[in-house]
């Protein structure tokens, strides 16, 4: 493990905000990640695990924070050449510091389905279960079998099965407060002869001339998804200021049928499964645009702005402070609350506020 140069989190996060922490160490293997985490916890410091920094809004002042950068690499599969029959399913164990999109690219090259619609999501493999990442009809909860988890409370290593992670929409037991470190993730991938899983995204299906639930070669799904994402500024690109963000800044609200009936009929809505009676998912982007914000909106004098390509992303137009990002997010929340009575919930992790 090594102590990194003390970079500001502004340089290590896609949102591009955040001060210089007290300390920063890098863990280059599972063992280092475990040792470093235990040491930091023992010292009783404020700590942050940092993967790719694509879902973090860090405060401008972070003098007390100890950062552990997860850089552990390695991918193993259970596909042994001596197995007589090509398996229809394969388990891949992937270390937390691997790049998410690098992993997706490898599964597509290997002809294995399960992650293809999540092409182009920035960040690391270890962070993927935290908010159950998802896009274009797939969620990572559908493919994760188990993770290895170093528990902050017990300081012990546990294997958490999929059901232990209690996944929900952009949510998991870890996001809800079970603190600790994911050291590796196991995925179950499927062999459909080079084809994708049945596509559950209308946009992807339309782009490929498929019916919903149709299948296409994995590489075609990946190409279409990358193209759709780039057009919305949802592919992180240092040259594209619309992607200097955390992706979607708010989750799509889920409300009851009776509440949904009070909204204008043109408000987009989808039936969704939920066990607490809240069963209609709304479009946060539509709510934002219909409460008075246009794409590209900026508070006068602020360097934070709503993306000019997607109303759901708050972006840094160069040199914004964390305070400016949070101020814009609060204004959006207040206006959506005033207009529709809905509290938009931020998706990124707010650190040090
Ligand atoms: C342009 C853009 C587009 C995006 N599009 C999507 C999208 O389509 N769908 C989607 O779901 N998300 C999307 N995101 C959000 C983000 O990419 C994901 O949430 C991603 O999983 C974050 O990974 P990361 O490694 O960057 O995590 P970080 O930002 O480094 O960390 C996020 C959280 O996870 C914790 N964490 C990190 N590593 C570990 C670990 N090993 N163990 C335990 N906790 C850990 C951190 O402490 C923090 O709380 C987008 C972001 C951007 C910038």
């Amino acid at each position: 493990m090594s102590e990194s140069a003390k970079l500001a989190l502004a340089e290590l996060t896609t949102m591009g905000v955040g001060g210089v922490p007290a300390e920063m160490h890098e863990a280059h293997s599972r063992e280092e990640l475990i040792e470093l985490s235990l040491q930091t916890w023992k010292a009783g410091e404020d700590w942050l695990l940092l993967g790719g920094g694509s879902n973090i809004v860090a405060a401008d002042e972070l003098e007390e924070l100890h950062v552990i950068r997860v850089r552990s690499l390695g991918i193993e599969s259970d596909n042994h050449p001596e197995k007589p029959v090509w398996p229809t399913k394969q388990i891949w164990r992937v270390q937390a510091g691997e790049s998410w999109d690098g992993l997706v690219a490898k599964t597509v090259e290997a002809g294995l389905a399960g992650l293809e619609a999540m092409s182009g999501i920035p960040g690391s493999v270890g962070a993927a279960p935290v908010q159950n990442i998802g896009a274009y009809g797939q969620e990572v909860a559908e493919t994760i079998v188990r993770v290895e988890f170093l528990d902050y409370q017990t300081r012990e290593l546990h294997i958490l099965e999929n059901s232990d992670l209690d996944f929900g929409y952009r949510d998991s037991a870890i996001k809800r407060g079970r603190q600790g470190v994911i050291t590796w993730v196991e995925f179950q991938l499927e062999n459909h002869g080079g084809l994708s899983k049945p596509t559950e995204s209308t946009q992807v299906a339309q782009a490929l001339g498929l019916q919903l639930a149709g299948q296409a070669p994995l590489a075609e799904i990946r190409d279409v998804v990358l193209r759709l994402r780039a057009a919305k500024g949802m592919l992180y690109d240092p040259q594209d200021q619309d992607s200097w963000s955390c992706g979607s800044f708010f989750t799509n609200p889920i409300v009851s049928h009776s509440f949904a009936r009070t909204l204008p009929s043109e408000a987009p809505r989808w039936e969704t499964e939920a066990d607490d009676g809240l069963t209609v998912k709304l479009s946060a982007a539509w709510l934002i645009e219909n409460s008075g914000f246009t794409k590209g909106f900026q508070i006068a004098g602020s360097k934070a702005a709503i993306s000019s390509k997607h109303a759901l992303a708050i972006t840094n137009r160069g040199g914004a402070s964390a305070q400016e990002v949070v101020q814009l997010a609060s204004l959006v929340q207040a206006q959506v609350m005033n207009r529709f009575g809905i509290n938009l919930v931020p998706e990124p992790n707010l650190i040090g506020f």
Side-chain angles (χ1 to χ4, degrees), residues 287-307:
L287 295 169
I288 294 169
E289 285 198 278
N290 286 275
S291 54
F293 295 100
T294 49
K295 292 190 183 106
F297 173 88
Q298 231 163 329
I299 298 173
S302 166
K303 297 192 197 73
I306 292 179
S307 160

Side-chain angles (χ1 to χ4, degrees), residues 12-15 33 47-56 70 96-98 100 119-136 149 170 174 180-184 229 233-237 242-248 347 349 351:
L12 298 173
T13 57
T14 54
M15 190 81 239
L33 183 54
W47 58 283
L48 169 71
L49 271 184
L50 182 66
S54 63
N55 210 22
I56 282 175
V70 185
E98 286 282 346
W100 172 260
S119 290
I121 299 180
S124 63
V125 167
V130 174
Q131 72 155 14
N132 180 19
I133 59 167
Y136 297 100
F149 186 70
R170 293 302 92 81
I174 298 173
V181 182
I182 293 170
T183 66
W184 51 249
R229 295 186 71 94
M234 287 291 173
L235 205 54
Y236 181 67
D237 173 0
D242 279 318
S243 75
W244 299 0
S245 73
C246 288
S248 305
E347 188 183 295
N349 301 275
I351 307 295

Side-chain angles (χ1 to χ4, degrees), residues 80-159:
H80 302 295
E82 66 272 16
K83 279 193 184 168
V85 183
W86 181 258
T88 54
K89 295 195 168 150
Q90 271 186 43
I91 303 285
W92 284 26
R93 178 179 292 184
V94 187
Q95 298 298 316
E98 286 282 346
S99 141
W100 172 260
D101 190 51
L103 171 67
V104 178
K106 287 193 175 87
T107 62
V108 167
E109 272 163 37
L112 293 168
L115 308 182
E116 61 280 4
M118 292 178 283
S119 290
I121 299 180
S124 63
V125 167
V130 174
Q131 72 155 14
N132 180 19
I133 59 167
Y136 297 100
Q138 276 179 2
E139 279 187 340
V140 77
E142 294 157 22
T143 333
I144 289 179
V145 183
R146 58 183 68 85
V147 306
E148 185 182 58
F149 186 70
L150 180 67
D151 194 307
Y152 175 72
Q153 291 302 329
T154 62
R155 313 275 151 119
E156 284 170 3
L157 277 169
H158 301 282
I159 300 298

